[in-house]
Amino acid sequence: MIAIIQYNAGNVCSVRNALQRLGCESVVTDDPRIIRKARKVILPGVGEAASAMRYLKEKGLDRVLVCLEQPVLGICLGLQLMCRSTQEGNTLCMGLFDTEAERLPQQGRVPHMGWNNFEGLRGPLFEGVQLSDDVYYAHSYFALPCDRTVAVCRYIVPFSAALQRDNFYATQFHPEKSGGVGEVVLKNFLKL
Amino acid sequence: MLKKRIIPCLDIRDGRTVKGVHFVDIRDAGDPVELVRQYVRQGADELVFLDITATVEKRKTLTRLVKRIAEQISIPFTVGGGISSVQDVSALIRAGADKVSVNSAAVMRPELIGEIAREFGSQCVVVAVDTKRVNGEWVVYVHGGRTPVAVRTLDWVRQACEAGAGEVLLTSMDHDGTREGFALDITQKVCEAVPVPVIASGGAGRAEHFATLFRETAATGGLAAGIFHYGDLTIEELKQYLKTQNIQVR
């Protein structure tokens, strides 16, 4: 069973639909017992960092998440919440990735919204994905590239399109909304 | 590189797709779910659903239709029409919408934009603006283009972005349904006035109109309805053409 973490504003529904289209059953939950037992865990992300982090803390899920040993995938805001901190609401995050999320500088249109490709693809998430493939982004904050960066996207600045450390994976783009390419990434995660 | 987006819009009334010419004289253009499947296959980058009767007839957007669509498609979509509270937004997001567009209710009560942005993030809030030139001045219309308000379009889009809008969807009522091309001047002025992505709507009749839009304005997306619904131009054909014009599309 795949556990999708339920939190106040997360767009859990699209992740669940995407998994369903891949023939994969999932449960949307904020129950630590179910999350610990799940085969894989997804932290989706549509929302605002400070309130999302507050909710995770209230439920004690921040501590549950960092201790998980099964594959975990953070998406969009989920990626930022897995960093040390984010400028959005000056929020202290879970620190799974040793980098920070900042606001995209206003030298271009913010939010970064739409289909963009990436470079420097590494690791199992991107098996079968080409550099010229486009995926869907919708975000105003980004994680600075670091040694855990496994894909880089360029929009105004280069930023982490994906991060990975041990069993923790995260994408700034939305694989659940990225058509066929997104399905490949999700399938790769499900295969781990 | 960030690609220019091609966005088919489905105007929904009573669960069916319709397309207004100058916002009146509505013709039936088919089953939304069927159209959606077709558009995704053809390479649409995003979809917009507008429940065009929602505000006027005080109906709420068809949450059930949104749910059905969300189950079937793997690209982002925006839902608008009659949204006037965070509760409305919450119901649509729960049903599977990625973004919502607000129009009349935000003009009447601009704080609505901030309320939604604080709860769901700016990237979730599209401010849809219907505009028309009156005595040489572009002004805002509400209630599906039926009611003019004494607000200049450029003032409104600036205010909307300060309040937290993540995107502006600009429809020129003068161009909508004419198929003579997008309203380039006001689109570019809006692009210059706001820091967020701008989607132009109204007037698309040929592939060249999209090329001109992307060449002459900073719009990041072009939206159309009728031209796609009736099969005059497929999204696939349009994108192939744009590639020959060195415009970056997916």
Side-chain angles (χ1 to χ4, degrees):
Chain A
M1 183 61 84
I2 312 287
I4 302 171
I5 295 183
Q6 167 86 64
Y7 61 114
N8 48 344
N11 193 4
V12 294
C13 178
S14 350
V15 175
R16 190 179 194 175
N17 284 335
L19 294 180
Q20 209 146 29
R21 285 192 293 270
L22 295 173
C24 182
E25 281 303 308
S26 57
V27 55
V28 176
T29 181
D30 58 7
D31 182 339
R33 285 167 304 181
I34 299 174
I35 293 167
R36 282 197 198 96
K37 269 194 267 171
R39 202 159 53 81
K40 294 194 171 70
V41 175
I42 298 183
L43 179 65
V46 169
E48 191 275 326
S51 66
M53 204 54 216
R54 204 178 312 124
Y55 183 94
L56 291 176
K57 277 192 168 150
E58 272 165 22
K59 298 270 175 182
L61 293 176
D62 53 331
R63 276 165 298 166
V64 173
L65 267 163
V66 298
C67 295
L68 293 177
E69 290 176 359
Q70 64 272 56
V72 177
L73 175 65
I75 298 173
C76 195
L77 177 62
L79 173 146
Q80 293 160 15
L81 297 179
M82 289 161 85
C83 295
R84 269 200 320 263
S85 63
T86 171
Q87 274 182 352
E88 189 175 23
N90 283 321
T91 308
L92 205 61
C93 301
M94 287 181 271
L96 286 161
F97 300 118
D98 194 16
T99 186
E100 286 164 6
E102 295 183 358
R103 192 174 159 83
L104 281 165
Q106 197 64 70
Q107 280 110 299
R109 295 185 186 275
V110 179
H112 175 216
M113 181 88 74
W115 298 80
N116 205 332
N117 53 336
F118 28 40
E119 54 194 73
L121 300 182
R122 291 195 281 142
L125 274 191
F126 297 105
E127 210 159 291
V129 177
Q130 315 290 322
L131 294 178
S132 56
D133 285 339
D134 290 303
V135 287
Y136 187 80
Y137 295 85
H139 61 114
S140 302
Y141 293 81
F142 71 98
L144 293 162
C146 62
D147 57 357
R148 302 299 181 185
T149 300
V150 291
V152 173
C153 176
R154 284 176 194 276
Y155 181 73
I156 307 174
V157 292
F159 64 85
S160 296
L163 291 159
Q164 188 205 332
R165 200 200 78 191
D166 307 323
N167 57 317
F168 293 99
Y169 298 77
T171 63
Q172 183 58 66
F173 58 89
H174 288 272
E176 79 282 10
K177 283 286 159 183
S178 295
V181 180
E183 280 180 6
V184 172
V185 173
L186 282 177
K187 272 187 201 156
N188 286 340
F189 176 71
L190 295 173
K191 271 195 296 202
L192 289 171
Chain B
M1 183 185 263
L2 183 65
K3 308 302 183 294
K4 298 292 185 183
R5 283 176 283 164
I6 303 300
I7 307 171
C9 174
L10 288 82
D11 289 349
I12 304 289
R13 193 172 74 174
D14 305 327
R16 303 275 298 172
T17 313
V18 290
K19 171 63 193 161
V21 177
H22 288 290
F23 287 68
V24 285
D25 185 28
I26 285 163
R27 285 201 279 157
D28 191 327
D31 174 30
V33 177
E34 191 40 52
L35 270 171
V36 161
R37 279 207 210 95
Q38 230 177 75
Y39 289 150
V40 174
R41 267 200 306 272
Q42 290 178 6
D45 295 308
E46 216 172 300
L47 296 157
V48 171
F49 298 90
L50 291 178
D51 194 354
I52 54 169
T53 54
T55 307
V56 175
E57 294 170 12
K58 312 274 186 243
R59 280 195 301 110
K60 294 297 170 191
T61 308
L62 307 166
T63 313
R64 256 162 61 200
L65 178 62
V66 170
K67 197 161 175 288
R68 258 174 80 210
I69 290 160
E71 283 164 3
Q72 302 217 12
I73 68 161
S74 56
I75 61 166
F77 68 96
T78 303
V79 180
I83 293 169
S84 58
S85 68
V86 170
Q87 285 75 18
D88 294 343
V89 176
S90 188
L92 291 165
I93 297 288
R94 268 204 308 272
D98 299 286
K99 303 183 240 181
V100 293
S101 81
V102 290
N103 191 331
S104 308
V107 175
M108 300 306 165
R109 200 173 66 81
E111 308 86 75
L112 175 64
I113 298 169
E115 290 165 11
I116 302 170
R118 272 192 298 282
E119 189 73 27
F120 301 100
S122 272
Q123 83 295 326
C124 207
V125 195
V126 182
V127 170
V129 180
D130 295 331
T131 186
K132 193 175 161 73
R133 193 168 11 209
V134 178
N135 299 327
E137 189 98 69
W138 288 94
V139 296
V140 177
Y141 275 66
V142 295
H143 298 140
R146 288 171 178 87
T147 316
V149 286
V151 177
R152 271 195 292 260
T153 301
L154 291 179
D155 292 340
W156 169 232
V157 293
R158 273 193 206 103
Q159 189 191 351
C161 289
E162 274 158 26
E167 203 162 41
V168 171
L169 166 55
L170 182 75
T171 302
S172 163
M173 295 168 58
D174 290 336
H175 295 70
D176 196 60
T178 64
R179 303 202 174 191
E180 286 168 3
F182 291 97
L184 301 174
D185 60 337
I186 185 64
T187 300
Q188 181 53 20
K189 280 186 191 134
V190 167
C191 289
E192 284 163 12
V194 300
V196 303
V198 175
I199 296 164
S201 153
R206 294 197 309 270
E208 291 84 349
H209 293 152
F210 287 87
T212 310
L213 172 71
F214 295 135
R215 233 182 257 124
E216 295 187 15
T217 77
T220 56
L223 179 142
I227 183 180
F228 299 137
H229 294 344
Y230 299 116
D232 304 347
L233 177 72
T234 68
I235 293 163
E236 220 168 352
E237 287 163 353
L238 171 57
K239 287 190 156 183
Q240 270 162 14
Y241 171 77
L242 291 175
K243 281 177 189 166
T244 68
Q245 300 299 301
N246 291 321
I247 290 164
Q248 298 271 346
V249 289
R250 183 167 69 103

